[in-house]
Structure formats: structure tokens, C-alpha cells
Amino acid sequence: MIDFAWLWAGLVWPIPFIYRWLRRPHIQQSQPLTVTHLPAVASATIKPRHSRLGNAIGVLVWTLLIVALMRPQWLGEPIPAQNDAREMMIAVDLSGSMEIADMAINGQQVDRLTMLKHVMHDFIERRVGDRLGLILFADTAYVQAPMTFDRATVQKMLDETVLRLIGERTAIGDAIALTAKRFADRPQTNKILILVTDGQNTAGNVSPAQALELAKYYDVKIYTIGVGAEEIVVDGFFGQRRVNPSRDLDENMLRQLADETGGEYFRARSTEELERIYTELDTYEPVQGENQLRRPQTALYHWPLGLAWIMLALAILQTTRRNWRQHG
């Protein structure tokens, strides 16, 4: 089946004919040119000679050029195509404890949020064809980036986040409930939430238990990641001592959220562990999107364009040969 991508370009075709029709009264009113010094028998009106064949070739060449401009294409038989892209909402903890510098990047101590941004850059970059969204939570939760194929925008939004932007505490329940609400109108997706936190639920209007029921109702699969080292050395009044900076991490709650929704709980004690976790997440099954019918397209514009050039070249060659004969 032949189709035209730019069918509207056909409106250009009658322009030269309309122009010639509008110019005809002006040409008819012009005075004929006569040669007065010739004998009366030879005196005649000199009119331009128009070859009917030349006019026909000109119209045909113009028509072929317009057809090429309309971008003809051959549409093949419909082929079922399946969208295997995944949809993931990423929820990031911005509470005050995320500023603890118990992580390292290339040997340099950094806080947890900085490490998270560093690792997630590669994770987001690998999601070619996936739809990603970003939720930030502390005292409450809000959508920083809605579900989109624009990975660069999601990455930029994450890079621009700062600690204590929305408070000091941790509203894990609100983040899950907000995700469930976003997925509520998308029954055909896999509805994956990747929740990254370093603490326990200490704020918000929705408890983790209530949020879990919402997630199960809307079939949201939750992958929870608890970040933070288990031991660091700090300087005190009596010298150095070892402390656990992740003592507030509620692993039981995070594990329950993952287990009851079909997800999994991961523990990231270092940058390397978090990198391995995101690599492992890459292997989880993609969403089976709606079947779509796609028709293969083959461009045909080069055929009328090439024929127009051939006819134009032959017409120029014929005119040149005629002139040579007349002046020979």
C-alpha cells in the first residue's frame, strides 16, 4: 500500500498554472511586435513559439517533483510489536541522616546522598527505553519528576536535590502511598518502586502498614534499599571510638515491604555494594507492554525524483542538439 507522509505538499502543484492564468490578460493586452521595414508580405507578428511537447514535459517534470516532495512510501503488512520497556519510580530519602559521610568514592569520603547520586547516574543511563519517575521524601513526599522516557531530565532533577529540602525526618509511608497513587491509572504496567532510605518511618500522614496495603492493592512491587555503613571511627573526648551510623535503619520494615509485594530488600553498606545492587536490578523482568501493530515503511520518493531529473536532462540535451543544428 502506497501512502504519502506529506500529502499537504500536493497543494503546491497548481501554483505555476494559477500564475500563468493570472498573467494571460496582461500578455494579451500587450502590443504585438511588427517589423515595419520588411515588405508587406514578410511583415508579421512575432510570437513566441511554445512546443506542446516541451510544455507536456515541463508539466510532467513539475508533477514528479511534487510527488517526490509528498514523500511517497510503501507500507508493508502490519507486524505485531511488543513494548518491553519497564516503568520504575525511584524514591529517594532526603532526611538529615543522609548527610552522614560514611561512604567513599574513589577513596574520598562523601555523604550518603552524594554517593547515591554518583551510583544512580549509571543506573539511570542504562534505562534506555524505560520510563522513570522520581519521588523525594523527608517530612513529606512529593513527585520531583513524573514518569517519563527523558532519562536526562530525571538525572538532572536528582543531581539538583539538596539535603533538608523538605525537612529532617523520614516519611517512608507517604512515599509509597504517593507511588501507588501514580500507578493507580496504569493497570498494564509492572509498577516497580525502588525505595532508598537510611532510616525508619518518623513522619508523614500514612504509616508504612497503610502504605503497604495500598501497594498490594495496586500491585506495586517494592524493592527497598537500606544504605549506610555499619561501622565508622569517630573522634571523641576520650579518643577514637567505633559507632554504628546505621543503628536507626529499620531493616525489618524494609524487608516486610519488599517481601509482601514480591520485591526484594537489599543492604548497601558501601558504594560498591550499591553498584552491585543496581546491576542486579537490571536483570529483573521487563514489563510486557500492550501489543501494537507496526507497519514497515519503505521510502519511494527517490523514484519520482530520479525520473524527473532524467526527463529534465533529456529535454535539455534535445534542446541543445536542436540549437546546434539550427546554427550549424
Side-chain angles (χ1 to χ4, degrees), residues 98-229:
M98 288 291 287
E99 71 176 354
I100 298 177
D102 58 352
M103 296 292 167
I105 300 177
N106 298 326
Q108 181 180 0
Q109 290 296 117
V110 296
D111 60 69
R112 295 169 178 175
L113 181 60
T114 300
M115 181 273 297
L116 180 63
K117 293 179 181 179
H118 172 77
V119 176
M120 289 201 69
H121 184 275
D122 292 335
F123 175 74
I124 294 174
E125 187 66 24
R126 293 195 298 268
R127 320 313 290 194
V128 178
D130 287 359
R131 297 179 79 244
L132 299 179
L134 178 63
I135 287 179
L136 304 178
F137 64 95
D139 286 357
T140 185
Y142 70 94
V143 177
Q144 179 74 348
M147 299 298 294
T148 177
F149 288 107
D150 189 354
R151 306 187 318 280
T153 297
V154 176
Q155 181 62 57
K156 182 179 179 181
M157 291 293 184
L158 178 61
D159 290 339
E160 292 177 352
T161 58
V162 294
L163 292 170
R164 296 184 174 84
L165 180 67
I166 48 178
E168 294 277 349
R169 298 178 295 169
T170 310
I172 295 176
D174 283 8
I176 298 173
L178 183 57
T179 300
K181 179 181 178 181
R182 287 287 169 170
F183 278 130
D185 59 346
R186 303 189 61 83
Q188 301 301 322
T189 69
N190 54 356
K191 302 178 184 179
I192 290 180
L193 168 63
I194 301 176
L195 187 140
V196 186
T197 183
D198 66 345
Q200 56 185 315
N201 190 83
T202 57
N205 299 316
V206 181
S207 68
Q210 294 171 325
L212 177 59
E213 293 303 316
L214 281 174
K216 291 193 293 185
Y217 180 79
Y218 290 111
D219 295 325
V220 179
K221 184 185 294 185
I222 305 176
Y223 294 100
T224 53
I225 302 177
V227 297

Side-chain angles (χ1 to χ4, degrees), residues 255-307:
R255 188 174 290 107
Q256 181 184 8
L257 291 172
D259 291 343
E260 295 195 21
T261 58
E264 191 169 344
Y265 169 65
F266 301 96
R267 183 70 171 91
R269 303 170 184 82
S270 64
T271 303
E272 292 74 21
E273 282 190 345
L274 187 58
E275 289 175 344
R276 287 195 295 270
I277 290 170
Y278 283 131
T279 301
E280 185 174 349
L281 284 173
D282 284 338
T283 64
Y284 284 89
E285 76 282 356
V287 62
Q288 299 299 318
E290 297 179 354
N291 288 331
Q292 300 177 353
L293 293 178
R294 297 181 182 178
R295 307 189 69 167
Q297 301 177 358
T298 304
L300 302 176
Y301 72 91
H302 53 277
W303 290 105
L305 183 61
L307 185 57

Side-chain angles (χ1 to χ4, degrees), residues 35-66:
V35 183
T36 57
H37 65 279
L38 293 178
V41 178
S43 179
T45 300
I46 301 178
K47 298 180 180 180
R49 295 182 178 179
H50 298 286
S51 170
R52 291 184 179 180
L53 179 60
N55 287 341
I57 292 176
V59 172
L60 185 55
V61 169
W62 173 251
T63 302
L64 290 171
L65 291 175
I66 295 300

